[in-house]
Amino acid sequence: MAIRERMSGNEAVAYAMKQINPDVMGAFPITPSTEIPQYFSKYIADGKVDTEFVAVESEHSAMSVCIGAAAAGARAVTATSSAGLALMWELLSVAASSRLPITMAVVNRALTGPININNDHSDSMGCRDTGWIQIYAENNQEVYDNYIQAMPISEYCRLPIMICQDGFITSHAVENITLLEDEVVKDFVGEYEPAHYLLKKDEPLAVGPYGVSPYYMEIKKAQAEAMKSAGERILSVAEAFEKISGRKYGFFEEYRLEDAEMAVVVIGSSAGTGKDAVDQLRAAGIKAGLLKIRVFRPFPMKEVAAALSGVKAVAVMDKAEGFSACGGPLFAEVRSALYDLEDRPKCINYVYGLGGRDVTVGTYETIFGELAEILRTGETGEVYRHIGQREGEE
């Protein structure tokens, strides 16, 4: 029977961890992810799990603990944000290239500098090409559900996984949530039984060896193939999860896209505000829609193109600055996905919400108004745009 509760996103992740009972957690506190190891350490202290909690001196060390534990055959978890994730940078690639299925809760927060503790996606987007699967949540329910699906995906693909949520907006805000029973979660996630690990005495193994030229590229190709095949596993796990929860997941969510003439593409909690804006525009007879990306790595290129193939104008919203001088990271992926369409929509980019800047229904109305102007004139105009910042001030 489902359990109805009220929880913050951070508490929901810690609760899911409790239900899974991982072998090792290496963690170092950083706002706004600190509550996750804090809640979970209480479960350990109360004897509700038998996880080995390793309190370390930095996030670099936290990931080192997870790498060592995973290489030894243990199920390893951690949580971090912002500069903490940046301090792990070197080891993110080590974990991925070593094909270690580490599960990391990332509570998205702006990267310094200047120092800012509020939400945007600059931290996880900055490490998007390190070889980790990345799944994003709109609300607390999705945070919980994504975390439960993480290990069956990661351990099958032998790739580490980030389960991302928006700092403070979901991590600290309390929402109604439906939890699964402990035994249901345990059965769904299952036991971790790696085929190869350091403590397997009858099979000598090296983890993280020196990759000489005759082998390095083959290793990277194997990683790339694993990421390509991860999409199929993500969908099969989502299908199995629907059977135990009644909640359906895929690569993305299509919201009122079936006959939309214009649409926005967005990641994370801002999608909820966007849906309200779409509803208001629909009530006024305007054919607006929204595509909420859930899985960013691997990027579902063909599926995104198919979902947007009937739309005439698209605005891709990036909560991270790419500093490419031509748009943000989500825009680069979506525009590339649309390239092969014979009748592709006009496509523009908005960088928004940096450092916690508000995004409102009015923000979306402005964006849809500019999409309507593109439809009216047939002229795209400036492609790379920012919205929500003050103008004319130093």
Side-chain angles (χ1 to χ4, degrees):
M1 179 181 291
I3 304 163
R4 298 191 180 278
E5 187 55 89
R6 287 177 293 177
M7 284 185 175
S8 69
N10 280 347
E11 190 174 3
V13 168
Y15 193 86
M17 285 181 179
K18 176 183 77 75
Q19 293 181 307
I20 294 166
N21 191 14
D23 298 308
V24 175
M25 182 181 209
F28 188 83
I30 183 169
T31 302
S33 67
T34 301
E35 285 183 331
I36 294 174
Q38 181 180 345
Y39 281 123
F40 191 65
S41 64
K42 182 71 161 56
Y43 292 135
I44 296 171
D46 291 344
K48 295 182 178 180
V49 295
D50 35 41
T51 305
E52 182 72 25
F53 187 96
V54 184
V56 294
E57 75 280 5
S58 74
E59 291 84 359
H60 189 281
S61 298
M63 184 51 60
S64 296
V65 164
C66 289
I67 288 171
R75 185 173 263 165
V77 300
T78 189
T80 195
S81 300
S82 184
L85 184 58
L87 191 55
M88 293 179 179
W89 228 262
E90 172 194 12
L91 295 173
L92 297 180
S93 294
V94 173
S97 64
S98 300
R99 305 295 297 278
L100 299 174
I102 297 161
T103 301
M104 176 159 58
V106 174
V107 184
N108 289 117
R109 166 188 150 186
L111 270 177
T112 304
I115 294 173
N116 182 293
I117 66 166
N118 297 307
N119 169 248
D120 64 34
H121 298 154
S122 53
D123 49 2
S124 59
M125 284 295 169
C127 59
R128 62 191 177 275
D129 297 333
T130 55
W132 286 61
I133 295 169
Q134 290 191 356
I135 299 181
Y136 290 78
E138 176 188 339
N139 52 47
N140 298 9
Q141 184 70 65
E142 291 185 11
V143 172
Y144 172 77
D145 293 349
N146 287 345
Y147 198 89
I148 290 171
Q149 294 175 65
M151 290 175 190
I153 295 168
S154 174
E155 291 166 1
Y156 180 88
C157 300
R158 289 173 52 226
L159 291 172
I161 189 167
M162 296 180 191
I163 300 300
C164 304
Q165 62 169 311
D166 286 355
F168 294 107
I169 301 169
T170 61
S171 67
H172 284 63
V174 174
E175 293 181 345
N176 292 331
I177 189 171
T178 302
L179 304 170
L180 299 171
E181 293 178 314
D182 290 355
E183 289 307 315
V184 172
V185 173
K186 284 186 174 67
D187 289 344
F188 181 79
V189 175
E191 295 294 328
Y192 180 43
E193 298 178 353
H196 310 285
Y197 52 95
L198 287 174
L199 298 184
K200 192 174 183 179
K201 61 181 181 180
D202 56 345
E203 183 188 48
L205 177 70
V207 174
Y210 178 60
V212 295
S213 298
Y215 296 99
Y216 181 88
M217 189 166 179
E218 285 71 19
I219 292 168
K220 291 302 169 185
K221 176 67 160 48
Q223 278 184 259
E225 291 299 323
M227 187 62 78
K228 284 164 64 176
S229 65
E232 183 178 344
R233 180 62 177 178
I234 289 168
L235 293 181
S236 66
V237 170
E239 184 178 353
F241 186 79
E242 185 180 3
K243 292 177 181 177
I244 65 168
S245 69
R247 295 186 288 275
K248 185 177 180 63
Y249 290 95
F251 293 135
F252 45 71
E253 178 188 346
E254 299 177 55
Y255 190 75
R256 307 193 77 165
L257 268 183
E258 59 282 348
D259 64 341
E261 295 181 345
M262 52 185 175
V264 295
V265 181
V266 68
I267 286 179
S269 62
S270 301
T273 307
K275 292 173 185 176
D276 289 341
V278 167
D279 289 343
Q280 291 186 22
L281 292 168
R282 285 282 181 168
I286 299 170
K287 292 183 177 180
L290 180 144
L291 187 71
K292 180 187 77 181
I293 302 294
R294 172 178 177 250
V295 179
F296 186 70
R297 285 289 182 269
F299 190 77
M301 177 174 284
K302 292 180 180 178
E303 293 82 1
V304 166
L308 296 173
S309 60
V311 177
K312 297 176 183 177
V314 175
V316 182
M317 299 179 63
D318 269 290
K319 212 171 191 180
E321 177 55 72
F323 299 114
S324 66
C326 54
L330 180 59
F331 175 67
E333 302 286 1
V334 173
R335 200 183 198 198
S336 176
L338 298 177
Y339 180 81
D340 288 329
L341 292 176
E342 290 186 10
D343 186 20
R344 56 181 176 266
K346 303 283 188 181
C347 191
I348 58 175
N349 182 215
Y350 286 92
V351 175
Y352 79 101
L354 302 184
R357 185 62 55 92
D358 284 344
V359 56
T360 66
V361 169
T363 307
Y364 281 94
E365 288 175 342
T366 298
I367 291 170
F368 277 113
E370 296 188 1
L371 288 176
E373 184 65 12
I374 291 172
L375 291 181
R376 187 185 69 81
T377 64
E379 299 293 329
T380 302
E382 185 178 1
V383 171
Y384 170 37
R385 312 177 183 198
H386 291 72
I387 192 167
Q389 75 283 354
R390 294 190 300 276
E391 301 287 359
E393 297 182 24
E394 291 186 2

